[in-house]
Amino acid sequence: MARGEITTTEISPRLARLPFDLMRNESMIYGMPVSDAAIAEIIDEVVLPVLAATPRES
């Protein structure tokens, strides 16, 4: 938020759970701990773009 990359508005509980749900899903599908590379992809390719697209306060 401080860098202006994501919104400062309150995010929904579902959006707040998104990264954890994706990591849990990754772990369940592949049956192993989530790799650092997978975590980086989840954050960079999914979570940050979704947060950036969330409407900002006026």
Side-chain angles (χ1 to χ4, degrees), residues 9-58:
T9 59
E10 185 174 324
I11 61 172
S12 71
R14 183 178 309 273
L15 186 53
R17 289 190 314 262
L18 177 64
F20 305 104
D21 291 344
L22 291 172
M23 287 190 305
R24 183 183 64 237
N25 186 59
E26 182 92 5
S27 178
M28 290 174 60
I29 287 175
Y30 297 108
M32 60 183 68
V34 182
S35 70
D36 289 346
I39 292 171
E41 287 177 355
I42 288 169
I43 299 301
D44 294 340
E45 297 177 13
V46 180
V47 177
L48 288 177
V50 168
L51 291 175
T54 302
R56 296 177 185 269
E57 291 178 339
S58 302

